[in-house]
Amino acid sequence: MDEVEVVVAHSERATLRVGDVFLKVDADRARIDAEVEAMSLAPVPTPKVLWRRPPVLAIAALPGTTLGRLGGPSTGSSAAWTAAGAAVRKLHDAPLPPRPGRAGRSTAALAAELDDECGSLVTNGLLPADLVTRNRRIAEAALRPWTPAFTHGDLQIAHVFVDGDEVTGIIDWSEAGRGDALYDLATFTLGHEEHLDDVLAGYGTDVDLDVIHAWWSLRSLLAVRWLVEHGFDPFAPGCEVDVLRSRM
């Protein structure tokens, strides 16, 4: 009998693996709806949906391995990162999906959330004030007008599978929708700045690096408290707090 592996679990959702099947349990049916819709529209390889019985979505495992994870070494070659950049560009060039995604929040809403979060990080003693202030200043560059693209919304490297130098699939589409393309690129390279040039070589267009750096700071500032409250460790080597420190 296949063992049940807990891939990720917190109060909002959980993902289990049983053999070659992943079971995603999500109390928010809208996220499951968004994920299935996005996978059906995305012009890049995605997992096959086996069945769907809310609150559970069953999908098939993808061939290959992930490019790595935040806080760990990359397991992919430079060519694999370049191939991933090309896949992301193909996604961003696709027709827009019908709904906004995680990367599509308004600049006003982001600025308000960022102000609240920065205040909370300092008030509650999670991060020193100088670290927060410096990264808050850098994050300003992300708060600008942008042209909507088809975005994944949670494009962590652990969500991109490769076999050799070929992208075999991208998982976890529940945050997908219309949004800022540079949010995806920043999320993908967060904590792996050494592969940014590889990704951009595959992406194939001029990208404002100041905005990428801004999204690294902004995304990390917004994530620290949530991660702590949900049992994750943003202070682990190479993770969000180290990303913030690297901007000092």
Side-chain angles (χ1 to χ4, degrees):
M1 179 180 293
D2 290 316
E3 293 184 351
V4 176
E5 174 191 355
V6 179
V7 179
V8 64
H10 50 76
S11 60
E12 295 180 2
R13 68 192 84 165
T15 300
L16 311 175
R17 180 170 186 168
V18 185
D20 289 332
V21 177
F22 285 89
L23 302 175
K24 303 191 69 172
V25 185
D26 197 323
D28 185 347
R29 181 166 181 167
R31 276 196 294 254
I32 294 291
D33 292 343
E35 178 154 15
V36 172
E37 178 184 67
M39 287 193 294
S40 72
L41 297 173
V44 295
T46 62
K48 179 182 179 181
V49 175
L50 301 176
W51 51 265
R52 178 185 177 199
R53 300 185 189 118
V56 182
L57 172 66
I59 59 176
L62 289 169
T65 58
T66 66
L67 270 172
R69 62 179 177 81
L70 183 62
S74 166
T75 56
S77 66
S78 292
W81 283 83
T82 298
V88 175
R89 180 58 187 269
K90 188 174 183 180
L91 173 68
H92 290 168
D93 284 345
L96 292 175
R99 68 182 84 199
R102 180 71 174 171
R105 289 168 290 171
S106 72
T107 55
L110 274 171
E113 183 181 358
L114 186 59
D115 285 341
D116 290 345
E117 202 62 39
C118 287
S120 177
L121 290 170
V122 175
T123 300
N124 294 320
L126 279 173
L127 295 176
D130 61 339
L131 183 64
V132 172
T133 300
R134 169 63 176 161
N135 280 276
R136 175 65 178 83
R137 190 177 303 123
I138 293 170
E140 286 287 340
L143 304 175
R144 87 284 177 221
W146 42 268
T147 301
F150 190 155
T151 54
H152 180 279
D154 191 21
L155 197 65
Q156 304 173 46
I157 60 171
H159 293 163
V160 178
F161 283 71
V162 296
D163 186 359
D165 299 335
E166 178 185 358
V167 175
T168 58
I170 301 175
I171 65 171
D172 282 3
W173 292 81
S174 61
E175 307 287 357
R178 301 188 304 272
D180 180 1
L182 297 194
Y183 178 91
D184 270 356
L185 290 175
T187 301
F188 186 56
T189 54
L190 185 75
H192 286 277
E193 186 171 354
E194 73 277 9
H195 284 295
L196 178 59
D197 287 346
D198 295 327
V199 172
L200 296 183
Y203 195 72
T205 189
D206 290 335
V207 168
D208 190 331
L209 295 181
D210 287 341
V211 176
I212 296 288
H213 299 160
W215 272 121
W216 286 343
S217 291
L218 199 159
R219 190 183 187 281
S220 297
L221 286 169
L222 294 184
V224 169
R225 183 174 58 86
W226 186 94
L227 291 167
V228 170
E229 292 176 353
H230 288 78
F232 301 101
D233 185 8
F235 294 88
C239 292
E240 284 81 3
V241 175
D242 271 358
V243 171
L244 295 173
R245 289 172 178 153
S246 72
R247 301 296 102 192
M248 298 296 285

